[in-house]
Amino acid sequence: MAYLVLITLLWAFSFSLIGEYLSGQVDNDFAVLTRVLLAGLVFVPLLRWRGLPRGLSGGMVLVGVLQFGVTYLCLYRSFGYLTVPEVLLFTITTPIYVALIDDALYRRFSPVALAAALLAVVGAAVIRYDGVTGEFVTGLMFIQIANAAFAAGQVGYKHLYQHYPVDVPAHRVFGYFFVGGALVSVPSFVIFGDTSMLPATALQWGVLVWLGLVATGAGLFFWNRGACLVDGGTLAVMNNALIPAGLLVNLVIWNRDADLLRLALGGIIMVAALWLNVRYSRHATLAAAGR
C-alpha cells in the first residue's frame, strides 16, 4: 500500500507537467519514446536473460506493450483534445477496468470489489465533474483505451508473479517491461512522429528526463510491485487517488482554481470506498492475512 501511495504522489505531477510543458509543443510519439528509452537504460542492463520461465519474460513484454506502450501513446494524444482537468475526469473509469479484469483472470465475480471501484468513481466524479468541451469524443476514446490498457497491464503484472513464482529479484525482470514498451513506441515514432516538434528548450528536456527516469522508470516499477501486495479492489481504488492528488498539485503549484469543498467531499468518498473493500471483501481479507 505504501508503494501505491508514494507513486500516486509522484504521478500527481506528471499530468500537469505533460499538459503545461509538452502537449502541443513536443511530438507525442517522441515524448513517449524518450520515456521508454530512458527507463530502459536503467532496467535493461539488469535483465536476467537466462533461467526465467518463458511465460514470465514473454508476459512481462506483453504487460509493457499494454501498460506503457498503448497507455502512454493514447494518454499523450488525449491531451491534444482535452484539458488537464478533463483528462483527470476521464481516468475515473480505470478502477472499473481493474476490478473487472482482475475478477476475469480469477474466473470469479466479486461484487464488493466492483462496488468499491464504482464508489471510487463517484468520489472522483464529485471532485472533477464540471462539464467538458464540445469536441471531446476523440479525446475520450483515447483516454478510455489508455485506462483499459493500464488496468490490464498492472493486473497482468500481478498475475504473472502469482503464476510464475521465482527467486529472481523483480528489478532483474522488469527490463522486459520496457522492451515491450519499445515494441510499440519505436514504430509509432517512425510512422507518426513529427521531427519538427522535438524539444526546443532545456526545460522541456528536463521534464522528459524527469518523466523517463523517475515517473516512468521508478514509478512504474514500484507501482507494479505495490499492485502485487494488495487485492484487486484496493488496487482499483488507488487508481483514482491520483485525481485529488493531481488537483492539489494544480492548485498549489500552478494556481489553478479548485473547488475545495468538492475536493474534500470526493476524497472522503474515495476513502470510504477503500474502507468498504478492506472491511467487507473476502479477497482483501485473504490478501492482508498473507502479507
Side-chain angles (χ1 to χ4, degrees):
M1 187 71 174
Y3 286 144
L4 300 182
V5 172
L6 178 63
I7 302 307
T8 293
L9 297 176
L10 175 66
W11 283 347
F13 291 88
S14 294
F15 279 92
S16 292
L17 289 175
I18 295 170
E20 293 287 336
Y21 300 117
L22 300 181
S23 179
Q25 305 172 56
V26 175
D27 177 66
N28 293 325
D29 297 282
F30 180 80
V32 174
L33 176 61
T34 302
R35 291 181 69 166
V36 74
L37 292 179
L38 287 172
L41 287 176
V42 176
F43 286 97
V44 171
L46 303 175
L47 264 180
R48 175 83 170 267
W49 294 101
R50 297 180 179 179
L52 291 176
R54 290 187 178 180
L56 177 59
S57 56
M60 194 64 66
V61 170
L62 178 59
V63 166
V65 167
L66 292 170
Q67 194 177 350
F68 184 88
V70 176
T71 296
Y72 281 89
L73 285 173
C74 291
L75 175 66
Y76 272 76
R77 280 167 169 76
S78 73
F79 281 98
Y81 302 91
L82 306 170
T83 65
V84 172
E86 288 169 349
V87 172
L88 285 166
L89 166 64
F90 293 143
T91 61
I92 66 177
T93 58
T94 304
I96 296 178
Y97 297 128
V98 169
L100 294 179
I101 293 172
D102 186 65
D103 280 345
L105 290 177
Y106 276 120
R107 298 180 181 179
R108 71 186 184 205
F109 175 68
S110 177
V112 173
L114 181 58
L118 291 173
L119 187 58
V121 169
V122 172
V126 168
I127 294 170
R128 260 312 340 144
Y129 186 77
D130 53 7
V132 295
T133 55
E135 297 181 358
F136 71 93
V137 175
T138 301
L140 176 62
M141 177 188 68
F142 277 128
I143 200 64
Q144 293 310 306
I145 295 173
N147 292 347
F150 188 71
Q154 58 191 307
V155 174
Y157 182 98
K158 174 183 176 181
H159 282 259
L160 276 175
Y161 269 95
Q162 291 176 343
H163 191 69
Y164 298 102
V166 294
D167 294 329
V168 180
H171 66 273
R172 299 293 305 276
V173 181
F174 202 60
Y176 288 107
F177 179 96
F178 294 109
V179 171
L183 290 178
V184 177
S185 57
V186 170
S188 183
F189 175 70
V190 171
I191 297 172
F192 302 109
D194 184 354
T195 56
S196 68
M197 293 184 64
L198 299 183
T201 68
L203 179 59
Q204 290 173 338
W205 280 110
V207 169
L208 285 174
V209 170
W210 164 268
L211 292 175
L213 295 179
V214 182
T216 299
L220 284 171
F221 176 75
F222 286 110
W223 179 270
N224 282 299
R225 294 309 301 159
C228 291
L229 302 176
V230 299
D231 65 288
T234 299
L235 180 61
V237 172
M238 286 305 299
N239 269 266
N240 263 4
L242 178 64
I243 296 176
L247 284 172
L248 286 174
V249 168
N250 262 335
L251 178 66
V252 174
I253 299 180
W254 280 276
N255 297 314
R256 297 292 176 86
D257 293 332
D259 189 326
L260 296 181
L261 179 60
R262 289 202 305 182
L263 181 64
L265 180 58
I268 291 171
I269 294 173
M270 292 173 65
V271 170
L274 185 59
W275 175 85
L276 173 69
N277 181 71
V278 172
R279 176 65 179 82
Y280 292 105
S281 173
R282 179 173 63 87
H283 305 297
T285 302
L286 293 174
R291 288 198 295 276

